[in-house]
Amino acid sequence: MQPAQVAAPPDTIPFSRRKRVDNIALSEKEDLHNQFGETEEIGGNHYRAYVGPPNYYDLIGATQFYLLTLFGMRETSSLLDIGCGSLRGGRFAIMYLRPGRYYGIDPEEWAIRDGLKSHFNEELVQRRKPNFVIDGDFAFTKFGRKFDLMMAHSIFTHAPQWQIAKCMAEAKKVMVPQTVFLATFFETLDGSDYQGDAWLYPDIVRYRRETIAQIVHEAGLECHHVEWPHPFNQKWIAVTLPGAGLDVARALSGQIYSYEATLERRRTDTTWPGSATN
Ligand SMILES: C[S@@+](CC[C@H](N)C(=O)[O-])C[C@H]1O[C@@H](n2cnc3c(N)ncnc32)[C@H](O)[C@@H]1O
């Protein structure tokens, strides 16, 4: 079967759709919080089914959030959620982070608005102050800041190599030595890499681990493969600036939650856990 290409390649997204939205309006659709989309077609226009299997919307969001905290996300951190969609994972971070410290970017404004309406209400959105840019060209500098953590979950699983390279190049501009950028991809089954130029959705694309690492390296970044479970066997990577010294095994061991980490922090920090990017 020929893969369906339902989303335009980002370079054809009209400029008018690229914008920073400071006060994004919640969707006007009613009762979204009671609609779980179980019978909807994946990739369709239901906010849950749009981003993947609706009956795994909860777990896939939870595993993103869990991994972010293992890699050091505290309430003072800033998070860039690349291709945030309907906030499947973002909703947990929006509640956890201090107000204004969540940043989401996605070309589909309706998905963000429906997600906000389903997960929150006007008052909570005003209180938590998430920031959004509507964009499909990885214009992360539009937020005018750098980030402690970055997440691209289920993005490279649909993206051609040139888009992954573009994402890495733009990511580098908003990283500091402490930044950890977590992302997923589908590993190839037959040793080949997707060679097309188009974003495929809801179809998927696959790459060799070496290919993903090479794209990251060519952007001047460091790539760590991360063994962390995923309900659909997506593979995780953690990307940093060169020489950042990320210890993946230590992070995955739950070091952040340990008493030792607390004692270490008390010894070295005099203030509440800070943000490297503020
Ligand atoms: C499978 S969904 C994943 C959504 C979210 N990351 C999650 O895990 O719930 C893919 C998302 O990528 C978005 N997308 C498509 N092209 C994009 C691009 N060029 N840059 C950023 N996001 C893009 C889609 O609108 C959609 O929300």
Side-chain angles (χ1 to χ4, degrees), residues 10 50-52 60 64 81-86 88-89 105-108 111 135-138 153-155 158 163 199 201:
Y50 175 59
V51 295
I60 291 177
Q64 292 177 58
D81 193 356
I82 299 165
C84 60
S86 63
R88 181 167 55 173
I105 187 165
D106 199 289
E108 298 299 337
D135 175 87
D137 209 15
F138 308 105
H153 176 267
S154 267
I155 305 301
H158 307 281
Q163 271 192 326
W199 165 270
Y201 201 72

Side-chain angles (χ1 to χ4, degrees), residues 71 147-148 175-181 220-224 238-248 250 276:
F71 278 91
F147 301 96
D148 298 304
M175 292 169 80
V176 297
Q178 292 87 346
T179 304
V180 179
F181 174 10
L221 295 166
E222 217 167 88
C223 182
H224 304 257
V239 175
T240 65
L241 288 176
L246 178 66
D247 188 338
V248 171
R250 197 163 187 249

Side-chain angles (χ1 to χ4, degrees), residues 145-157:
R145 59 161 304 136
K146 302 203 174 195
F147 301 96
D148 298 304
L149 288 133
M150 298 167 64
M151 163 76 64
H153 176 267
S154 267
I155 305 301
F156 304 158
T157 47

Side-chain angles (χ1 to χ4, degrees), residues 58-73 88-89 92-93 96 149 151 182 228-229 236 251-257:
D58 55 343
L59 206 54
I60 291 177
T63 196
Q64 292 177 58
F65 181 71
Y66 194 167
L67 199 57
L68 282 165
T69 66
L70 282 176
F71 278 91
M73 187 169 76
R88 181 167 55 173
F92 302 114
Y96 175 82
L149 288 133
M151 163 76 64
L182 298 162
W228 178 251
W236 287 94
L252 292 183
S253 76
Q255 173 69 13
I256 185 85
Y257 301 131

Side-chain angles (χ1 to χ4, degrees), residues 164-178:
I164 302 174
K166 177 89 193 281
C167 180
M168 289 299 156
E170 295 302 313
K172 193 176 180 198
K173 297 177 185 169
V174 294
M175 292 169 80
V176 297
Q178 292 87 346

Side-chain angles (χ1 to χ4, degrees), residues 8-74:
D11 58 348
T12 66
I13 289 173
F15 184 74
S16 59
R17 280 179 60 199
R18 296 183 176 146
K19 56 180 180 179
R20 179 167 177 160
V21 203
D22 285 325
N23 275 311
I24 194 165
L26 275 65
S27 168
E28 283 160 12
K29 295 177 193 162
E30 293 297 332
D31 209 33
L32 279 178
H33 60 284
N34 279 322
Q35 295 169 20
F36 302 103
E38 280 110 334
T39 56
E40 301 285 338
E41 199 177 328
I42 295 176
N45 63 3
H46 184 276
Y47 76 97
R48 287 190 181 229
Y50 175 59
V51 295
N55 53 342
Y56 276 83
Y57 192 87
D58 55 343
L59 206 54
I60 291 177
T63 196
Q64 292 177 58
F65 181 71
Y66 194 167
L67 199 57
L68 282 165
T69 66
L70 282 176
F71 278 91
M73 187 169 76
R74 298 294 303 264

